[in-house]
Amino acid sequence: EVQLVESGGGLVQPGGSLRLSCAASGFTFSDHYMDWVRQAPGKGLEWVGRTRNKANSYTTEYAASVKGRFTVSRDDSQNSLYLQMNSLKTEDTAVYYCARNRRGGSNYDYGFDYWGRGTLVSVSS
Amino acid sequence: DIQMTQSPSSLSASVGDRVTITCRASQGINSYLAWFQQKPGKAPKSLIYAASSLQSGVPSKFSGSGSGTDFTLTISNLQPEDFATYYCQQYKTYPLTFGGGTKVEIK
């Protein structure tokens, strides 16, 4: 059974840092791209960033709103995905979800197929 | 960035109804379109990828269609567990973008 479990959320002051983790199980983590998506209270979904797999050199992509402040990384030996968040702003307050981007033969993109339950990040003084 | 516009933003329907939600992309995205369902306080659930393909385990009451800029999600025989918010998302280009959501409520 595929499972994604986020952790590391909490209350942090503006300008502070936080590192989120996503523990993956039930599938070959190293095969897939992995993403972070967030949802501010009462708002819609916003894509944050992506890390590709080893076959694609672990390259990353980011939303403009977080580029230069957030870093997506992964440790395939630990089946874990990370989101390092620096210079946090009040508008970063959200539930942060990790999501699996399923990849098939010839790198076919099946989109997001599994999501974690999320972890809440609150940025406030 | 590609803007995704959903309509309506909310709708009221009865158990047993068939409902259709529309999603329009600001530029062509071929069939790189996904649909998600989200219930209050829960994580999104993936329903459809490639505009019309069901994710594993998703019942056939959900169907998607469209390509280019105009897409639809249809839910047949609406049941109490289907009342939720639905989002479309394009994954053709970065940044990946979502529609604003359509809340399906009980009439």
Side-chain angles (χ1 to χ4, degrees):
Chain A
E1 179 194 6
V2 171
Q3 286 197 334
L4 299 170
V5 180
E6 302 91 339
S7 61
L11 176 63
V12 60
Q13 292 187 335
S17 298
L18 209 56
R19 188 197 198 203
L20 306 184
S21 300
C22 172
S25 60
F27 65 101
T28 304
F29 180 75
S30 58
D31 284 350
H32 299 277
Y33 295 12
M34 296 296 298
D35 292 62
W36 289 98
V37 176
R38 68 184 180 183
Q39 187 169 36
K43 302 297 184 182
L45 300 170
E46 180 188 16
W47 175 75
V48 172
R50 162 172 289 177
T51 173
R52 296 182 178 86
N53 53 17
K54 181 178 180 180
N56 290 277
S57 306
Y58 298 126
T59 51
T60 54
E61 303 286 346
Y62 296 95
S65 58
V66 306
K67 194 169 186 178
R69 300 188 299 123
F70 289 12
T71 302
V72 179
S73 63
R74 63 192 294 163
D75 183 342
D76 288 353
S77 68
Q78 298 292 318
N79 291 335
S80 292
L81 173 72
Y82 304 102
L83 181 65
Q84 177 66 45
M85 304 185 294
N86 299 330
S87 303
L88 281 160
K89 306 175 181 180
T90 55
E91 53 264 40
D92 295 319
T93 295
V95 174
Y96 285 73
Y97 298 100
C98 65
R100 186 179 86 165
N101 175 227
R102 179 184 166 204
R103 293 280 158 164
S106 301
N107 207 32
Y108 181 82
D109 190 349
Y110 289 87
F112 298 153
D113 60 349
Y114 287 95
W115 298 67
R117 292 186 174 185
T119 187
L120 175 62
V121 172
S122 296
V123 184
S124 174
S125 54
Chain B
D1 298 3
I2 297 176
Q3 307 302 317
M4 305 301 293
T5 303
Q6 287 183 236
S7 60
S9 56
S10 66
L11 65 89
S12 295
S14 300
V15 171
D17 282 355
R18 179 181 188 225
V19 300
T20 298
I21 299 168
T22 297
C23 178
R24 174 165 288 175
S26 61
Q27 61 191 79
I29 58 170
N30 302 109
S31 295
Y32 293 98
L33 191 284
W35 289 98
F36 305 94
Q37 174 194 68
Q38 188 178 34
K39 297 179 181 179
K42 301 295 186 181
K45 176 185 176 182
S46 300
L47 298 177
I48 287 172
Y49 68 96
S52 61
S53 298
L54 292 178
Q55 291 282 3
S56 176
V58 174
S60 59
K61 63 186 305 180
F62 293 96
S63 62
S65 65
S67 67
T69 60
D70 294 312
F71 302 87
T72 59
L73 172 70
T74 299
I75 312 169
S76 302
N77 188 23
L78 207 61
Q79 293 300 303
E81 61 267 24
D82 301 326
F83 292 93
T85 299
Y86 293 84
Y87 294 93
C88 63
Q89 179 227 0
Q90 67 81 19
Y91 56 98
K92 183 178 188 293
T93 59
Y94 297 104
L96 310 185
T97 47
F98 291 87
T102 296
K103 187 173 184 179
V104 177
E105 299 176 298
I106 300 175
K107 183 182 287 183

